[in-house]
Amino acid sequence: MVDILHKVGVEGSSINDVYAALTTLDGLSGWWTDDTTGDPTVGGVLQFRFEPGGIDMKVLDLQPARRVVWQVVDGPDEWAGTEIVFDLKQDGDDATVLFKHQGWQEPVEFMHHCSTKWGVFLLSLKSLIETGKGAPAPRDIKIDSWN
Amino acid sequence: MVDILHKVGVEGSSINDVYAALTTLDGLSGWWTDDTTGDPTVGGVLQFRFEPGGIDMKVLDLQPARRVVWQVVDGPDEWAGTEIVFDLKQDGDDATVLFKHQGWQEPVEFMHHCSTKWGVFLLSLKSLIETGKGAPAPRDIKIDSWN
């Protein structure tokens, strides 16, 4: 089992703002993909749609201003059985996000792609909160021929 | 042992161009850090310097247009014993880089930071080759309070 890890710090921000961007349809559609629907409460399922396909996440755990956990319930085969964890903490004036996409079976090429792509989307989250403007799909930065 | 993985595709490019950017002082200083010195041949040691500190890498393996391997010989404590691997392949018109920073002892917070930061630098490498202009330190994108 292998994991993708990332960290971004959101300058001059509160973890409450980050938590809102991770737990509301409006927030999520501002940094990950425009096409975000579903139920963002615990036990609900969120539908994230992209040009190449879609991902459904079940909301497993919500600890306000502290932690958000999603379980992948539909999406690319390689994502089956994986979980996404956002751990939040306040570092002075900055809100820090520690991100993990955990439980990959093998470090396949698609995992390399997803790691870089998650970094791009987390910088979009940072930008959304710092400037009011993120770069969600389909306006995200393309990193390779897979998008 | 845990690894950082990334992938970028350099559009309309040859893996020879990517290989040159990974194996010459001029190339390396165009995407990772302005302050790059040392011997880029096998067995040589490269010195990469940044505002917060520096990293020395021994060049372990060079396979033209295919693979570059560095061993960390000096740098942050958490990097001791780790290796950096760049695997290159041609995907039609694109040159693909599969990156690995392998052999971390523990998935510490600094590893999360370095993962996101490597993604930023690999996008700088992509940009350098595609446009002639990278964003090496100190002009790199800051991702958190650690830089």
Side-chain angles (χ1 to χ4, degrees):
Chain A
M1 298 279 242
V2 279
D3 305 337
I4 292 170
L5 308 176
H6 283 294
K7 178 188 171 196
V8 291
V10 186
E11 275 185 74
S13 174
S14 145
I15 43 180
N16 295 311
D17 296 333
V18 179
Y19 187 77
L22 297 173
T23 55
T24 62
L25 295 180
D26 191 44
L28 291 163
S29 62
W31 68 269
W32 198 18
T33 175
D34 278 356
D35 190 351
T36 299
T37 55
D39 172 6
T41 61
V42 174
V45 174
L46 289 159
Q47 286 92 30
F48 300 99
R49 295 293 174 269
F50 303 83
E51 266 178 44
I55 296 151
D56 289 3
M57 301 278 197
K58 184 171 177 183
V59 181
L60 279 196
D61 191 15
L62 291 178
Q63 298 176 33
R66 204 164 141 216
R67 174 172 259 216
V68 173
V69 183
W70 297 334
Q71 179 184 40
V72 176
V73 291
D74 200 5
D77 289 346
E78 297 91 337
W79 285 38
T82 63
E83 287 184 3
I84 317 283
V85 181
F86 300 88
D87 278 308
L88 314 182
K89 61 176 182 167
Q90 194 78 42
D91 279 333
D93 284 343
D94 297 355
T96 293
V97 181
L98 291 176
F99 170 91
K100 198 182 285 184
H101 183 176
Q102 64 190 15
W104 289 70
Q105 292 296 317
E106 299 290 338
V108 291
E109 182 170 332
F110 187 53
M111 184 176 171
H112 294 65
H113 166 89
C114 293
S115 176
T116 310
K117 200 72 197 185
W118 272 125
V120 165
F121 282 122
L122 289 164
L123 291 171
S124 164
L125 168 66
K126 172 179 166 68
S127 171
L128 174 68
I129 300 169
E130 288 178 355
T131 71
K133 193 163 176 175
R139 295 178 304 286
D140 52 321
I141 295 171
K142 310 307 176 197
I143 62 162
D144 58 32
S145 59
W146 293 350
N147 233 9
Chain B
M1 298 279 242
V2 282
D3 305 336
I4 292 170
L5 308 176
H6 284 294
K7 178 189 172 197
V8 292
V10 186
E11 273 185 75
S13 174
S14 146
I15 45 179
N16 295 310
D17 297 332
V18 178
Y19 187 76
L22 297 174
T23 55
T24 62
L25 295 180
D26 190 45
L28 291 163
S29 62
W31 68 270
W32 198 18
T33 175
D34 278 355
D35 190 352
T36 298
T37 55
D39 172 6
T41 62
V42 174
V45 174
L46 290 159
Q47 286 90 30
F48 300 99
R49 295 292 175 270
F50 303 84
E51 266 178 44
I55 296 151
D56 288 4
M57 301 279 198
K58 183 171 179 184
V59 181
L60 278 196
D61 191 15
L62 292 179
Q63 298 177 33
R66 204 164 140 216
R67 175 172 260 216
V68 173
V69 183
W70 297 333
Q71 181 185 39
V72 176
V73 290
D74 200 5
D77 290 345
E78 299 90 336
W79 285 38
T82 63
E83 287 184 3
I84 317 284
V85 181
F86 301 88
D87 278 308
L88 313 182
K89 61 176 182 168
Q90 195 77 42
D91 279 334
D93 286 342
D94 296 355
T96 293
V97 181
L98 292 177
F99 169 91
K100 200 183 284 185
H101 183 176
Q102 64 190 15
W104 289 70
Q105 292 297 319
E106 299 290 338
V108 291
E109 183 171 332
F110 186 53
M111 183 177 172
H112 294 65
H113 166 90
C114 293
S115 176
T116 310
K117 200 73 198 183
W118 272 124
V120 165
F121 282 121
L122 289 164
L123 291 171
S124 165
L125 168 66
K126 172 179 165 69
S127 171
L128 173 68
I129 300 169
E130 289 177 354
T131 71
K133 194 166 176 173
R139 296 178 301 288
D140 51 321
I141 295 171
K142 310 307 176 200
I143 62 163
D144 58 31
S145 59
W146 293 350
N147 232 10

